[in-house]
Amino acid sequence: MTVPALLPSLASPVAASYARLAEVFSGLRIEETTENERLPRGAGWVLAEELAAGGAALDAFLAWDNAQVLRDYGQQARPDVVASLGLHRYAWPACLLVTLPWFLQRRVPRLPAAAVSFQRTRGRMAVRVEEFACLPGDPAAALPGARVVADEDALRAEVRASLAEHFEALLGGFGPRMRRGRRALWGMVTDEIVESLWYIGALLGEEERAMAELELLLPGSTGRPEKPYAGGAGFRPLPGSEGPDTAPRPTRSRATCCFFYTVRPEDTCLTCPRTCDADRVRRLAATA
């Protein structure tokens, strides 16, 4: 893959990726702040490090999920289910902060919890990128905060390390509320990494490349899982999902379950381990 040139008009080495995301996915907008600017607070914004602390900010964050379940489904979800839904709704977009610049530009920002703020109701995130990894020959290598790594394998290791640093902190806050073991918590993070980029890759018209890149990033069952992650991308063809002139559609089974079935047993995720292949084919056909 050719590394794109760094355009002088861009605010940062990853701005082009965040701008491309806004073009194909209206549900998320990412803005950047400089080192001299504060990340947004108040008016629905919450700092990731506040969620990681597990106190009042996390209480308020999860209260939104609890109210949404009550409003939409008319019943109270278990506290651990609410916490799992809350983590999912944060982690899915947060993973893209790192994986999308890697996928589109071969640049990997380091984003500790102190460098991210989230506004869930408006689908916005704010980040402060002070350090990033890139490949030899990338024009961005001359920028402040750049760290050149040897090759694609080393760059994939940077993706895993950046996400691990971020979510190690976040799981410190969410983990006790979710009442799951460490492997299950990291299995959920693994799933969010894979499914967010898979989805956006399809919107970009690059689903096959996204799947191939994710298999290399998180080999899982095709190789030794990369700690602390549990499992891997795990894509496979879905038997019976092919059309007259098409190959079977890809699917995967999540390493973990969000327990939403405890609220609505008939409404599982398409990649939930509780959803059999026959149901997946039927649901895909219904929405084709």
Side-chain angles (χ1 to χ4, degrees):
M1 176 181 176
T2 302
V3 176
L6 181 66
L7 301 179
S9 60
L10 296 183
S12 85
V14 297
S17 293
Y18 296 159
R20 185 72 179 106
L21 174 65
E23 292 174 358
V24 299
F25 182 56
S26 63
L28 181 61
R29 293 288 185 276
I30 303 168
E31 60 187 62
E32 296 184 73
T33 64
T34 68
E35 60 180 338
N36 298 319
E37 293 178 298
R38 291 183 62 187
L39 288 165
R41 302 169 183 246
W45 288 93
V46 61
L47 297 176
E49 64 180 349
E50 293 178 315
L51 298 178
L58 183 57
D59 290 339
F61 187 84
L62 296 179
W64 188 97
D65 295 282
N66 188 62
Q68 179 266 321
V69 171
L70 283 170
R71 181 185 67 248
D72 293 351
Y73 305 109
Q75 60 178 298
Q76 177 69 61
R78 297 188 331 232
D80 61 308
V81 176
V82 171
S84 295
L85 291 173
L87 178 62
H88 161 66
R89 288 163 173 167
Y90 172 83
W92 195 97
C95 289
L96 292 169
L97 299 175
V98 175
T99 60
L100 197 61
W102 163 67
F103 182 68
L104 292 179
Q105 296 181 274
R106 285 306 192 253
R107 296 166 186 167
V108 181
R110 278 284 176 141
L111 292 171
V116 177
S117 187
F118 185 38
Q119 219 290 3
R120 64 184 307 165
T121 59
R122 296 167 61 190
R124 294 174 63 190
M125 301 194 88
V127 299
R128 183 171 56 247
V129 178
E130 297 181 347
E131 180 185 348
F132 67 98
C134 62
L135 293 170
D138 189 327
L143 292 178
R147 192 158 43 81
V148 179
V149 298
D151 53 26
E152 293 280 2
D153 281 343
L155 199 64
R156 283 189 286 269
E158 291 290 330
V159 176
R160 292 189 293 266
S162 180
L163 290 166
E165 177 186 13
H166 187 86
F167 282 102
E168 186 71 54
L170 268 294
L171 293 180
F174 280 93
R177 314 289 185 102
M178 294 169 63
R179 300 176 62 188
R180 302 196 197 194
R182 182 172 174 83
R183 179 175 175 79
L185 291 172
W186 281 103
M188 190 166 183
V189 174
T190 303
D191 289 330
E192 304 304 339
I193 294 170
V194 174
E195 302 209 352
S196 58
L197 187 60
W198 181 24
Y199 181 83
I200 298 301
L203 295 183
L204 291 165
E206 296 193 72
E207 181 180 17
E208 289 189 6
R209 185 170 78 85
M211 292 165 56
E213 297 277 15
L214 286 164
E215 289 283 8
L216 292 171
L217 179 69
L218 296 167
S221 59
T222 62
R224 181 175 58 84
E226 298 286 350
K227 293 182 179 180
Y229 304 102
F235 292 109
R236 61 183 176 84
L238 179 58
S241 65
E242 64 274 4
D245 302 305
T246 61
R249 293 188 58 174
T251 191
R252 68 181 296 271
S253 292
R254 292 176 61 91
T256 57
C257 177
C258 67
F259 298 149
F260 184 69
Y261 74 89
T262 62
V263 178
R264 292 191 61 169
E266 73 282 3
D267 194 11
T268 56
C269 302
L270 193 61
T271 55
C272 177
R274 300 174 63 89
T275 306
C276 68
D277 282 358
D279 283 344
R280 298 183 192 200
V281 172
R282 175 182 55 78
R283 289 165 59 179
L284 285 170
T287 58

